[in-house]
């Protein structure tokens, strides 16, 4: 079974409120403005009903989900991630990390939160909302190494590394300087095969989950809940 960390996501499927609560619901019940609603942390003039409709109509972010029951701790996913990012202008380091407890192991990677605290904390746009690719994008050129994203991430899935990069005058190298890189899952968005970690995992313990797959999992769990309570 795929395991998710607790979150505050809005349901992605439209369930009539009367059926959900089993009581009549006023059409104006959710028209109260929500303070602090929205990605920028500003006060929203919309309603909860509008927010639900917006969540249904727009594709949510994708993310790579780990199944700890299949993870054998081999770190093949980390090796594949390093190889995928071992390109000029980038840093060869894993964007996910296999974490172990006494009982289980599983890679921890960016959740690509809809209201990502790392992106909101970044002062330079090195992390940004990327609705085109349904993710939290990375622009390494803008990273200044302040580590605000590291402190903001609730999952411990973001880190910052430094390396020496050449200083060029035209095509001539005249020295080197220290450059910071924010390290987090970018979904291998430029890779034809998708996330390298999921493709390389020998036990198929990593899955790229999009809104459609998430809706399927939600429906499966809802059915299981009803069957267990029957």
């Amino acid at each position: 079974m795929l395991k998710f960390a607790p979150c505050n996501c809005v349901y992605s499927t439209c369930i009539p409120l009367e059926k959900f609560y089993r009581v009549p619901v006023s059409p104006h019940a959710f028209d109260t403005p929500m303070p602090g609603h929205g990605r920028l942390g500003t006060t929203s003039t919309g309603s909860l009903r509008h927010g639900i409709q917006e969540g249904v109509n727009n594709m949510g972010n994708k993310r790579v989900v780990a199944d700890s029951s299949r993870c054998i701790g081999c770190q093949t996913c980390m090796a594949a991630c390093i190889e995928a990012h071992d390109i000029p202008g980038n840093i060869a380091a894993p964007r996910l990390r296999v974490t172990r407890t006494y009982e289980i192991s599983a890679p921890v990677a960016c959740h690509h939160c809809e209201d990502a605290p790392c992106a909101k904390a970044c002062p330079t746009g090195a992390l940004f909302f990327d609705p085109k690719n349904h993710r939290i994008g990375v622009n390494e050129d803008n990273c200044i190494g302040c580590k605000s994203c590291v402190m903001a991430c609730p999952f411990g899935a973001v880190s910052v590394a430094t390396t020496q990069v050449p200083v060029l005058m035209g095509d001539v190298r005249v020295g080197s300087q220290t450059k910071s890189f924010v390290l987090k899952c970018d979904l291998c968005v430029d890779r034809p095969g998708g996330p390298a970690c999921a493709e390389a995992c020998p036990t198929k313990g990593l899955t790229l989950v999009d809104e459609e797959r998430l809706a399927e999992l939600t429906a499966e769990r809802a059915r299981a809940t009803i069957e267990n309570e029957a």
Side-chain angles (χ1 to χ4, degrees):
M1 175 182 291
L2 295 176
K3 294 177 173 60
F4 295 88
C7 65
N8 297 316
C9 300
V10 174
Y11 284 103
S12 60
T13 54
C14 183
I15 302 174
L17 296 175
E18 288 79 4
K19 292 184 179 180
F20 186 79
Y21 291 103
R22 299 184 180 181
V23 295
V25 178
S26 165
H28 302 292
F30 293 98
D31 287 342
T32 303
M34 297 174 62
H37 177 67
R39 286 186 169 177
L40 297 180
T42 57
T43 301
S44 172
T45 57
S47 65
L48 178 57
R49 182 181 294 279
H50 173 73
I52 293 175
Q53 291 171 345
E54 185 179 39
V56 170
N57 293 332
N58 294 331
M59 172 69 78
N61 285 345
K62 301 176 182 179
R63 58 169 290 206
V64 174
V65 175
D67 183 351
S68 59
S69 67
R70 294 188 176 187
C71 180
I72 58 176
C74 65
Q75 300 187 4
T76 302
C77 55
M78 294 175 61
C81 186
I82 293 173
E83 182 179 5
H85 293 89
D86 188 11
I87 56 177
N90 212 320
I91 185 169
R95 270 64 175 172
L96 76 171
R97 191 168 300 280
V98 174
T99 303
R100 297 178 177 85
T101 69
Y102 287 111
E103 298 180 351
I104 62 174
S105 64
V108 175
C110 175
H111 287 221
H112 295 274
C113 305
E114 300 293 338
D115 194 19
C118 61
K120 292 196 294 185
C122 181
T124 63
L127 296 176
F128 61 94
F129 295 99
D130 182 10
K132 178 181 178 181
N133 295 300
H134 313 298
R135 63 169 189 154
I136 300 302
V138 180
N139 185 343
E140 291 90 350
D141 292 340
N142 289 354
C143 182
I144 58 174
C146 68
K147 301 181 179 66
S148 296
C149 55
V150 178
M151 293 184 287
C153 177
F155 303 106
V158 184
S159 60
V160 172
T162 59
T163 188
Q164 293 295 310
V165 296
V167 176
L168 302 177
M169 183 176 293
D171 294 331
V172 179
R173 177 170 179 166
V174 295
S176 62
Q177 64 180 7
T178 301
K179 174 72 178 74
S180 296
F181 286 82
V182 57
L183 302 178
K184 75 162 210 70
C185 172
D186 56 10
L187 294 180
C188 292
V189 69
D190 297 322
R191 187 174 181 273
C197 58
E199 185 178 273
C201 179
T203 61
K204 306 302 178 185
L206 291 169
T207 306
L208 178 63
V209 174
D210 57 16
E211 192 77 359
E212 181 179 353
R213 178 56 181 152
L214 191 60
E216 292 174 356
L217 290 171
T218 301
E220 290 173 6
R221 293 181 180 184
R223 286 192 295 271
T225 299
I226 294 173
E227 292 171 355
N228 292 334
E229 293 179 350

